[in-house]
Amino acid sequence: MPITSQFLRYALTGIGSNIILYLLYFASTGLGAEPKVSMSVLYLLGVLQTFMVNRSWSFRHRGAAGAAVWRYLTAYAMGYLVNLGILALLVDCLRWDHRYVQGAAIVVIALLLFALQRIWVFSPAKP
C-alpha cells in the first residue's frame, strides 16, 4: 500500500483516538490528576485500542499478529518514554503549561510511531 494511503488511514485512526484521549486528559487533570500519571494511563488505553485498527486497516498487515503485537508494544513503549521525557523537561523543569506541551507531544509522538510502524512493526514479510 502506498505511504500516503497508510498515513491517511493512520492519521484518521490517530486523530479520532487522540481527540477522545486528549479530552479525557483535560478532564482528569482538571479534576486534580497529576499530568504524567494521567498521560500514562491514557497512553496505555490508546495503545490497546489502536493496535487492531492499525494492524488491520491502516497498514493491512498480514504477518503474524503475535510478533507484531510485541513490536507494537515496544514501539509504543519508546513513544511513551519520549512523551514522558518531553513532559519532564518542558513542564517540570521549564514550567511550560502542560496542556500545550502534551498537545504538541501528541503530534511528535504520532509521527515517530508512524515511521516505526511502517518500517518495523507492520513491515511486509520478506521472502
Side-chain angles (χ1 to χ4, degrees):
M1 179 185 312
I3 190 170
T4 53
S5 297
Q6 283 182 334
F7 187 77
L8 180 61
R9 289 169 182 250
Y10 172 81
L12 290 172
T13 299
I15 288 168
S17 174
N18 280 302
I19 286 172
I20 292 166
L21 294 171
Y22 195 45
L23 292 173
L24 289 172
Y25 175 82
F26 273 140
S28 64
T29 57
L31 292 171
E34 200 277 326
K36 289 187 293 302
V37 172
S38 183
M39 179 277 294
S40 298
V41 170
L42 293 170
Y43 193 94
L44 180 59
L45 288 175
V47 170
L48 297 174
Q49 81 180 37
T50 58
F51 173 75
M52 292 305 293
V53 176
N54 279 327
R55 181 174 181 264
S56 64
W57 187 62
S58 302
F59 295 93
R60 294 194 177 174
H61 182 252
R62 301 294 179 245
V69 77
W70 286 111
R71 290 189 300 265
Y72 195 82
L73 292 173
T74 301
Y76 273 80
M78 288 188 281
Y80 171 80
L81 292 174
V82 170
N83 199 157
L84 190 62
I86 289 169
L87 284 175
L89 175 64
L90 299 179
V91 175
D92 295 345
C93 295
L94 299 179
R95 303 287 183 222
W96 292 9
D97 189 318
H98 68 91
R99 295 168 297 184
Y100 301 116
V101 171
Q102 184 59 30
I106 288 169
V107 175
V108 171
I109 303 305
L111 294 172
L112 169 68
L113 290 172
F114 175 76
L116 286 172
Q117 288 177 69
R118 178 171 170 79
I119 295 166
W120 182 53
V121 175
F122 299 122
S123 65
K126 307 291 186 255

